[in-house]
Amino acid sequence: MRALQGWATVAVGVALFATAATAEDYRFDSLRIDRPIARATPPGAKTGAVYFTVDNGSNNAERLLHASTPIAGGVALHQMAIENGVMKMRAIPSVEINPGGRLELKPDGYHLMLIDLKQPLKVGETFPLMLTFQRAGTVRTMVTVEEMGASPTRSR
Ligand SMILES: [Cu+2]
């Protein structure tokens, strides 16, 4: 996270959270990032999960490399997998998106894990999330906090 500390510092003094009506879609280079959401967290929780969908509209493979947000100490890419009959999550360094393909971050699959949350996530709040892709570079999105059991639903 070291490289992004400067950015996080710049964000200090600006409200970390805002309230927005609905989650948005983002078009960035050849990517479409659909409706980032996070699940609300109970008081005292130090981690949270973020879900969204990325469509790669280009003829080149793309890769999600990194994410960061000022509201958490770090963001990890996680994958749910069954180990010895138990569903567990594990950190993975990056994930590829095939040409014309789709990456879905959702419960029971890939997700972004917010680590060391600075405050609980409350329904209706939004917060910035920077996503870095291998080809397209870094894009700033806003994540909307939904109920604890929320799953992404495509708004298309
Ligand atoms: Cu996780």
Side-chain angles (χ1 to χ4, degrees):
M1 304 308 296
R2 185 172 300 276
L4 287 139
Q5 297 237 310
W7 183 84
T9 303
V10 167
V12 171
V14 180
L16 295 182
F17 288 94
T19 302
T22 52
E24 295 178 60
D25 299 338
Y26 298 86
R27 284 183 176 74
F28 176 61
D29 199 90
S30 302
L31 303 176
R32 176 193 155 108
I33 300 167
D34 198 52
R35 207 173 164 271
I37 66 159
R39 283 178 168 177
T41 57
K46 298 307 278 181
T47 60
V50 174
Y51 308 111
F52 53 86
T53 301
V54 184
D55 286 304
N56 178 8
S58 83
N59 296 321
N60 300 302
E62 182 57 278
R63 186 169 280 276
L64 176 58
L65 295 179
H66 182 78
S68 69
T69 174
I71 67 149
V75 183
L77 177 62
H78 279 181
Q79 182 178 26
M80 301 296 287
I82 294 175
E83 279 175 36
N84 301 323
V86 180
M87 189 75 114
K88 288 187 173 173
M89 57 187 182
R90 63 188 169 120
I92 55 174
S94 65
V95 61
E96 185 164 283
I97 314 166
N98 293 326
R102 173 176 294 173
L103 167 67
E104 289 184 281
L105 279 73
K106 58 185 181 181
D108 302 340
Y110 295 108
H111 55 275
L112 293 183
M113 204 84 212
L114 306 177
I115 294 161
D116 198 16
L117 277 176
K118 294 172 182 171
Q119 55 187 295
L121 303 180
K122 296 195 182 119
V123 173
E125 289 177 331
T126 63
F127 61 87
L129 176 72
M130 312 290 285
L131 300 174
T132 301
F133 295 91
Q134 189 165 48
R135 296 183 67 92
T138 299
V139 62
R140 181 179 188 273
T141 66
M142 291 299 288
V143 180
T144 301
V145 181
E146 299 197 340
E147 308 79 45
M148 286 189 193
S151 290
T153 52
R154 295 185 66 77
S155 55
R156 187 173 287 165

